[in-house]
Amino acid sequence: SASDLFGGISGVARNPNVELLFQSMKLRTFDLTFKMAPFNELDVQNMETIIRIFKRAMLPEYKLGETEVFGTEGDDNGAIEAGFIKVPKVVNINYMRGGERNRFLPRYKMCALTDVNVNYTPDNVYATFNESSPVAVEIKLSFMETKLVFAEDIKDRGF
């Protein structure tokens, strides 16, 4: 390295003090974790449905269906259908208290669901009911906001 070279030749090292120059911001990411423990078969089915909905929401769709690209619906044109995919869904996350958003908890802009992690042994013990469903499941959802957060957002709306 340059420091090694200077140190070996003249007994000096480069000054490590540097200034941070602003280049760009990164989109904010965060995780939400939920533990679900079913009480009956209906709860097991609902739990499976919830997991499937989140897994599908984070992935693109191959079939365009009625989505229009260049004024043509995917169903109407095989070339359009083959050349494009539908982007994954975006979600709006709010912490609610009754029918109102809780102003004391974080606020987020529209988000993309980037990862769904399902843990079938959240208590570090493998255990199932008679029907073979786990006694508890933990899902960890990873999100990324689709827009940058600015200082004015914090001042005005509490993001």
Side-chain angles (χ1 to χ4, degrees):
S1 73
S3 291
D4 294 338
L5 183 63
F6 288 126
I9 293 174
S10 58
V12 296
R14 290 182 59 209
N15 185 345
N17 292 332
V18 295
E19 289 187 32
L20 174 65
L21 298 176
F22 180 81
Q23 291 181 349
S24 68
M25 295 292 297
K26 292 185 177 182
L27 295 171
R28 201 164 54 159
T29 62
F30 61 97
D31 298 329
L32 296 175
T33 303
F34 300 93
K35 186 174 180 181
M36 300 181 288
F39 289 105
N40 55 36
E41 184 58 33
L42 179 61
D43 284 350
V44 170
Q45 292 171 6
N46 289 337
M47 193 169 63
E48 290 174 343
T49 301
I50 289 168
I51 292 168
R52 190 171 28 261
I53 287 171
F54 281 123
K55 284 184 175 183
R56 287 184 56 122
M58 79 169 181
L59 299 171
E61 293 182 44
Y62 184 74
K63 295 286 186 185
L64 297 180
E66 296 178 8
T67 302
E68 284 193 18
V69 179
F70 304 122
T72 304
E73 286 186 6
D75 286 338
D76 297 339
N77 188 323
I80 295 287
E81 188 78 36
F84 295 92
I85 59 174
K86 285 176 79 170
V87 297
K89 298 190 177 0
V90 291
V91 296
N92 188 4
I93 298 171
N94 286 297
Y95 295 101
M96 304 298 289
R97 186 170 192 278
E100 304 280 324
R101 187 185 69 79
N102 189 330
R103 66 183 183 94
F104 295 102
L105 295 176
R107 191 167 177 192
Y108 303 104
K109 294 190 174 186
M110 292 299 287
C111 298
L113 179 57
T114 58
D115 191 31
V116 176
N117 187 339
V118 182
N119 180 0
Y120 293 99
T121 57
D123 300 318
N124 295 323
V125 175
Y126 176 74
T128 63
F129 291 115
N130 291 340
E131 299 85 22
S132 297
S133 64
V135 296
V137 173
E138 184 177 85
I139 58 173
K140 179 180 172 187
L141 307 172
S142 299
F143 296 94
M144 177 183 286
E145 287 181 308
T146 59
K147 297 193 181 302
L148 289 174
V149 176
F150 294 96
E152 291 82 2
D153 293 326
I154 302 287
K155 179 181 150 200
D156 298 337
R157 293 183 289 279
F159 276 88

